[in-house]
Amino acid sequence: MSKEFLRCIECSKQYDLYEVRYSCECEGLLEVNRPEPHRTDLKEEFDQRLLSRSRLDRSGVWRFREAVLGLPEESIVSHPEGSTRLYSHDALAKFAGLSILFLKHEGENPTGSFKDRGMTTAVSMAKHLKMKAIACASTGNTSAALAAYAGQAAIRALVILPQGKVATGKLAQTLAYGARCLEVKGDFDEAMRLVQELTQDPEIYMVNSLNPFRLEGQKTIMWEMLQDLEWQAPDWVVVPGGNLGNTSAFGKALVEAYEAGWIAKLPRIAVIQAEGANPFYRSWQNKFEGLTPISAETVATAIRIGNPVNFHKARRVIATLNGVVECVSDVEIATAKKNIDRVGIGCEPASACSLAGIRKLVASGTIDEGHRVVGILTGNILKDPDNALTMCENRPVTIEPTVASVRDQL
Ligand SMILES: *Cc1c(COP(=O)(O)O)cnc(C)c1O
Ligand SMILES: [Zn+2]
């Protein structure tokens, strides 16, 4: 039925699109592949759909459906997601050292992070395959998204979280949407290993970003950005890197857009990690001669990952897009977040890596002050209210219920 198939990025072996597997026999990562590039004229169709009121056209993922995933409409589970804003604010451009800076806020998705874009495709596939249950390991946002989409589809959701390391907003969402939450005595990387073993059971579907359909949905972050820039590719796209799913999806999306003739040039990519969770940065410095897992620690809990599963895809993206990898300290993350918060945009700590990284790369001369740069804000400020309250000095003041005591505070 579908022209698409699964293909191993290492040995090129092909599998049927609907075969439930997350890696090749050779253990290589799988990606969705198509025999031909996307049609050039699809771009005009995507633009026309911006005026449409239909359910799928309203979704920032399914608006691009011909280039995302061929599923019958009745299998599609959509909230609808995407259609997130592209901000530009002079104060933030100035902070970064640029004349113009765009920030695409993926925290404006239905559950407050970009994970919804990959979850609509992965859960739709689970529904199509009539899966009994869906599972993931998560630092919190994947679990919130899974819980919401599985809730909509009435499929059981099981999530494995690193105990004590999930931000309050994310845990609250996951529980409220009704997923079964298991807190593992260990870190994310251990939770990930556990879920990989668990989902060898053919009735439990795994929706971590090892699942190639997650990345097909996440490609639309790039296409929506290009659409908002009237298909004039920026010079740079800058994104935080944890498990490196976005990095992999962005590379695929940009190459597909270029090969289809939707854009005339390829942007470069910069992946930003936290200093205490920087295995990809270290590997890049060693010219990608392998990846040494580390024990990760950072305030940016969404990217507190020491053994990124998409390493081999992401490494290729850096090569194809002439990319760079940078890392920033927790203090640099906090400073960037404070700037984003104070102009009323706001984001969770991991997202602030984008701005912190841009600032660092401009200072080092890698990014030119005149370049057009788009930073991705991956998650909403309310995801981590404890961090928001601890990090800002602004405090409520208790007063008597009189106008005089209010005036005293002005
Ligand atoms: C998942 C997540 C990331 C990391 O994205 P990867 O695709 O795993 O690299 C970054 N920020 C936020 C807010 C996230 O939820
Ligand atoms: Zn293979």
Side-chain angles (χ1 to χ4, degrees), residues 222 233-238 254 265-271 284 317-318 320-324 365-368 371-374:
M222 287 295 99
D235 297 298
W236 287 93
V237 171
V238 183
L254 293 167
K265 67 158 194 187
L266 283 170
R268 296 180 68 185
I269 193 167
V271 177
W284 179 69
V317 169
I318 297 295
T320 312
L321 297 183
N322 188 19
V324 299
T366 307
I367 295 182
D368 196 273
H371 280 156
R372 285 170 81 231
V373 181
V374 181

Side-chain angles (χ1 to χ4, degrees), residues 112-115 139-142 170 209 214 218 239-247 302-303 305 310 348 350-351 377-380:
S113 86
F114 74 84
K115 298 297 195 307
T139 59
N141 280 334
T142 304
K170 306 177 189 184
S209 54
R214 276 272 310 272
Q218 287 170 215
V239 63
N243 240 342
L244 304 172
N246 258 346
T247 305
I303 51 172
I305 293 172
N310 287 301
E348 69 164 282
S351 310
L377 300 180
T378 43
N380 192 287

Side-chain angles (χ1 to χ4, degrees), residues 284-355:
W284 179 69
Q285 284 193 312
N286 281 327
K287 305 201 160 35
F288 288 134
E289 282 181 15
L291 179 124
T292 313
I294 64 166
S295 171
E297 196 50 85
T298 166
V299 288
T301 50
I303 51 172
R304 189 174 170 276
I305 293 172
N307 189 16
V309 296
N310 287 301
F311 169 66
H312 290 287
K313 282 185 179 173
R315 164 171 75 77
R316 286 169 160 82
V317 169
I318 297 295
T320 312
L321 297 183
N322 188 19
V324 299
V325 188
E326 185 54 272
C327 65
V328 291
S329 69
D330 281 2
V331 172
E332 289 170 308
I333 292 172
T335 308
K337 176 173 150 57
K338 191 168 170 181
N339 277 269
I340 295 165
D341 292 349
R342 287 298 285 274
V343 298
I345 295 174
C347 66
E348 69 164 282
S351 310
C353 278
S354 297
L355 182 61

